[in-house]
Amino acid sequence: MRMKQEACGRSSAQMKVEVPGTQDEVWQAIATKPGISPRWVPEVCEKRNGKLALYVRAFLTVIALLIQLPSAQAQEPPELGKEHDYLKRLVGTWDAESDFGTGTMTYRMGLNGLWLIGEFEGEFGGLKFQSLSLDTYDSMTKKYRSVWADSFSTLPRIMEGTLDKYDKVMTLTGEGRGQDDLPAKYKSITEIKDADTVNFALSLVEKDGKEHSLVTITYKRKK
């Protein structure tokens, strides 16, 4: 560190420190963490020992940079794996048919290819029905995750689960809103019969573990 005394009587300090990162990474560590100065570096230094205060301020600045750099470097997007291949098999437009109505489901991969985004439009019980879904694979928990929202509810259904050993049947369990507006447990099974046929079943899981079928849907890929 080099101290400099200016003609006006004001003192300044310069310090060169090597940090484990490129110039862009250092900038990102600072730019993406607002408030770094008030959090880590005192805004007011004691005047009675100005030289010591400047040393402390410079030291804390370096420590803050060293702390922030690893988090900046860690913000890399997850890599796509073979587990996403199952989701990609659903990409396309499908005719949906159930005992309660018909509709069209459109799937596409989005959000850096990590999520399968589904949009449904049709009817259910004679009423217009729309839904949005997000499905992905979480490499941290080794499970598939699903979020479902539709025009019949203001509470999403959030589920997680796994594939069978043949990579054809996905079983998910989770919670959403029940018919009595109270939280309820659900179970879904999605089976890819072939490249053009998918069967879906949703059940309500009672407190005693019994399953009550709610709806089954057959999807046929549009040609």
Side-chain angles (χ1 to χ4, degrees):
M1 177 180 291
R2 185 174 65 182
M3 301 295 299
K4 182 179 179 181
Q5 187 74 28
E6 299 179 5
C8 63
R10 185 172 52 187
S11 298
S12 62
Q14 294 181 343
M15 174 183 282
K16 291 184 178 181
V17 180
E18 290 186 7
V19 293
T22 65
Q23 182 177 352
D24 288 340
E25 290 172 338
V26 173
W27 171 248
Q28 286 297 322
I30 299 172
T32 57
K33 294 290 182 179
I36 184 174
S37 178
R39 287 175 56 192
W40 299 104
V41 184
E43 291 293 336
V44 179
C45 298
E46 296 186 20
K47 295 182 179 179
R48 63 184 180 183
N49 194 351
K51 185 174 181 180
L52 177 61
L54 285 171
Y55 272 101
V56 171
R57 184 178 179 87
F59 175 74
L60 290 176
T61 300
V62 173
I63 294 300
L65 286 175
L66 293 176
I67 292 174
Q68 301 302 324
L69 269 176
S71 63
Q73 293 174 329
Q75 293 176 359
E76 294 292 333
E79 294 184 359
L80 297 175
K82 63 180 181 62
E83 292 82 7
H84 289 85
D85 291 342
Y86 175 89
L87 301 176
K88 292 178 182 177
R89 295 172 63 185
L90 296 174
V91 171
T93 303
W94 304 75
D95 289 320
E97 183 175 351
S98 72
D99 292 337
F100 299 95
T102 60
T104 301
M105 174 68 85
T106 302
Y107 284 116
R108 60 183 175 87
M109 298 301 296
L111 304 177
N112 202 31
L114 293 172
W115 292 81
L116 177 70
I117 304 172
E119 297 183 56
F120 180 89
E121 288 195 10
E123 60 177 26
F124 192 89
L127 300 175
K128 183 179 180 180
F129 182 77
Q130 295 175 305
S131 73
L132 292 173
S133 62
L134 290 169
D135 294 88
T136 190
Y137 177 77
D138 184 357
S139 59
M140 296 295 293
T141 61
K142 309 297 183 185
K143 290 185 178 181
Y144 285 89
R145 295 188 179 277
S146 176
V147 180
W148 172 280
D150 60 52
S151 56
F152 282 5
S153 176
T154 56
L155 185 69
R157 187 170 68 240
I158 301 176
M159 309 176 77
E160 66 176 19
T162 58
L163 282 176
D164 69 341
K165 62 180 181 179
Y166 302 109
D167 293 342
K168 288 188 175 182
V169 180
M170 179 186 292
T171 302
L172 306 177
T173 57
E175 291 190 352
R177 177 168 290 166
Q179 295 180 350
D180 53 2
D181 287 337
L182 296 176
K185 293 184 177 181
Y186 291 92
K187 177 181 179 180
S188 70
I189 297 177
T190 303
E191 179 185 10
I192 296 181
K193 296 290 291 184
D194 53 53
D196 299 320
T197 308
V198 174
N199 293 329
F200 174 83
L202 179 68
S203 300
L204 179 69
V205 181
E206 304 288 352
K207 293 183 179 180
D208 57 4
K210 293 183 179 179
E211 298 178 13
H212 174 66
S213 178
L214 296 178
V215 63
T216 58
I217 304 174
T218 300
Y219 293 97
K220 291 288 186 179
R221 187 183 298 274
K222 281 194 173 185
K223 300 296 186 178

